[in-house]
Amino acid sequence: MRLSHRGTHLPLVIVSLLLCALLCPMPADTSEAPDASAEVARLYEEASAATVRYEEGRHAAKVQRKKVRKLDRLLTKERQAVDVLHGDLGRMASAQYRSGGGLPQTAQLLLADSPEELMRGQRLMWQADLAVTNAVTKTQRAAARLTDAKRTADRAKRTLDRRNEGLTKLKRGIESKLESAQWTLQGEADQSVAAGQCRGAVRLDQPKTSSTRAWRTPVKTYELSAGFDSAGSRWSHRHTGQDFAVGIGAPVRAVGTGRVVSVSCGGGFGIEVVVSHKGGYYTQYAHLAAVTVGQGERVRPGEWLGQAGTTGNSTGPHLHFEVRLTPYPGSGVDPVKWLDERGVRV
């Protein structure tokens, strides 16, 4: 391309680009903050791992404290034995002195009525004295070994206690972050429910499992709360499922192989997932904070369907789980008995 005026002017295209770079505003940073669902799932894993390490350390410290207490008892007994033997030795020495032990042995022989008996007595006394001395020496050595062992055990106990203090701080820190992330997740869920628009499936890394069991509980760790067909002021008739008390963001999993027939986020159940299974049964997972599957997807036993929450007609974080004869409310059967028939105890 030929430049006019001896090539002293830049091409118009380049000039335009330079002016745009100088005058046009820089594009805003569109990178999103970490997704609340993924953050809660990650923190749950960290909290779980920290809890395992904490419990292992606590158990090790308990065992070590028990060992120290046992060594304390043994050490006390050994010291008492040393004191007893020292007392015996003192009494023997006193007895020997009273019986003439303070005189030279030659003088004792000259003055004795029966030198043979005196020699025999002196020999027995010497043997007894030697036995006690040996016993004292052995006991002192045992006490010294126990003292060393106790000192080592005490050091190990202090090390474990310091480790547990660190693990306690780590565990509390993770739990604090988790609580904050949980309510962020719940806030997003509440907004979705209020708008009547689900935000779509959040794709989380599914847990690896080698189990071949056909059926599972819908959550791994839980406490049972409201049961099937129980009465309550929050239900117009009777409770239609089994409630599992869990924390916000706790993974909710498919109880068995099936297909997702619906994902919704309105009404009394809040965010919910319904799955169909062979045999004409359906399972419902309600009051969720997020879903991790979409309608029409196939799911396996133990696969995450979503995260527990407290959306809809709910007074606190829990999973409402139903087993139905149809995809719709009003056709529920007792989920605890239904799972029990499939080898799952809740």
Side-chain angles (χ1 to χ4, degrees):
M1 182 178 189
R2 183 176 295 176
L3 299 176
S4 60
H5 300 283
R6 298 182 182 180
T8 58
H9 292 262
L10 292 173
L12 291 177
V13 174
I14 297 177
V15 173
S16 301
L17 290 173
L18 289 172
L19 287 172
C20 184
L22 291 171
L23 301 176
C24 296
M26 293 295 291
D29 184 7
T30 58
S31 59
E32 297 181 355
D35 182 82
S37 291
E39 181 72 358
V40 169
R42 181 183 68 80
L43 288 170
Y44 256 107
E45 291 298 317
E46 286 190 15
S48 177
T51 299
V52 169
R53 293 199 302 272
Y54 172 78
E55 289 300 320
E56 288 174 349
R58 192 174 64 85
H59 176 71
K62 183 178 178 181
V63 171
Q64 195 64 34
R65 281 192 289 271
K66 187 176 180 181
K67 181 179 179 181
V68 171
R69 287 195 297 270
K70 181 179 180 181
L71 286 170
D72 269 332
R73 290 194 297 270
L74 290 173
L75 190 55
T76 300
K77 288 182 180 179
E78 289 295 341
R79 285 171 177 163
Q80 289 173 348
V82 171
D83 291 341
V84 169
L85 289 169
H86 272 301
D88 289 344
L89 187 60
R91 284 190 293 274
M92 290 174 64
S94 297
Q96 185 180 20
Y97 181 80
R98 286 195 301 270
S99 61
L103 295 174
Q105 190 172 9
T106 303
Q108 291 183 41
L109 288 171
L110 292 172
L111 297 172
D113 296 332
S114 175
E116 292 81 5
E117 289 184 10
L118 177 63
M119 289 295 294
R120 187 163 51 251
Q122 288 285 350
R123 189 163 49 251
L124 291 173
M125 184 69 71
W126 176 80
Q127 289 174 347
D129 182 50
L130 181 62
V132 171
T133 301
N134 288 337
V136 168
T137 302
K138 289 180 181 179
T139 306
Q140 287 176 331
R141 287 174 181 170
R145 287 194 299 270
L146 279 173
T147 300
D148 289 340
K150 184 178 181 300
R151 191 178 297 117
T152 301
D154 279 331
R155 280 199 302 268
K157 175 184 170 295
R158 288 193 295 270
T159 300
L160 283 169
D161 286 341
R162 286 194 298 269
R163 176 178 178 271
N164 282 355
E165 287 175 7
L167 286 173
T168 299
K169 291 179 181 178
L170 173 66
K171 183 170 174 285
R172 287 175 180 168
I174 294 173
E175 288 172 348
S176 177
K177 292 178 183 177
L178 175 59
E179 183 178 2
S180 175
Q182 284 174 322
W183 288 110
T184 299
L185 175 61
Q186 183 61 42
E188 293 178 355
D190 290 336
Q191 290 176 4
S192 296
V193 172
Q197 294 179 342
C198 297
R199 63 181 178 128
V202 178
R203 301 302 178 180
L204 301 177
D205 293 334
Q206 290 290 336
K208 294 180 181 179
T209 177
S210 58
S211 175
T212 58
R213 292 177 56 192
W215 300 96
R216 315 281 179 83
T217 55
V219 284
K220 193 171 183 180
T221 304
Y222 55 87
E223 289 184 9
L224 295 178
S225 47
F228 178 74
D229 207 28
S230 58
S233 60
R234 301 192 63 82
W235 312 299
S236 57
H237 298 291
R238 308 288 284 185
H239 192 234
T240 54
Q242 174 63 56
D243 286 351
F244 295 81
V246 291
I248 295 171
V252 174
R253 53 189 190 173
V255 296
T257 300
R259 185 181 298 277
V260 178
V261 296
S262 70
V263 176
S264 59
C265 61
F269 288 122
I271 299 175
E272 63 170 324
V273 174
V274 177
V275 177
S276 66
H277 304 277
K278 288 183 178 179
Y281 288 100
Y282 297 81
T283 53
Q284 179 216 24
Y285 313 78
H287 303 309
L288 304 178
V291 294
T292 58
V293 292
Q295 187 168 325
E297 291 185 22
R298 295 279 300 174
V299 293
R300 303 182 309 277
E303 183 176 343
W304 288 358
L305 301 176
Q307 292 169 289
T310 182
T311 55
N313 185 16
S314 170
T315 57
H318 72 283
L319 168 70
H320 175 85
F321 174 71
E322 286 192 21
V323 177
R324 300 172 176 172
L325 299 175
T326 73
Y328 311 108
S331 60
V333 299
D334 188 339
V336 173
K337 291 181 179 179
W338 187 84
L339 286 172
D340 186 63
E341 291 170 358
R342 286 153 182 77
V344 179
R345 293 286 184 89
V346 297

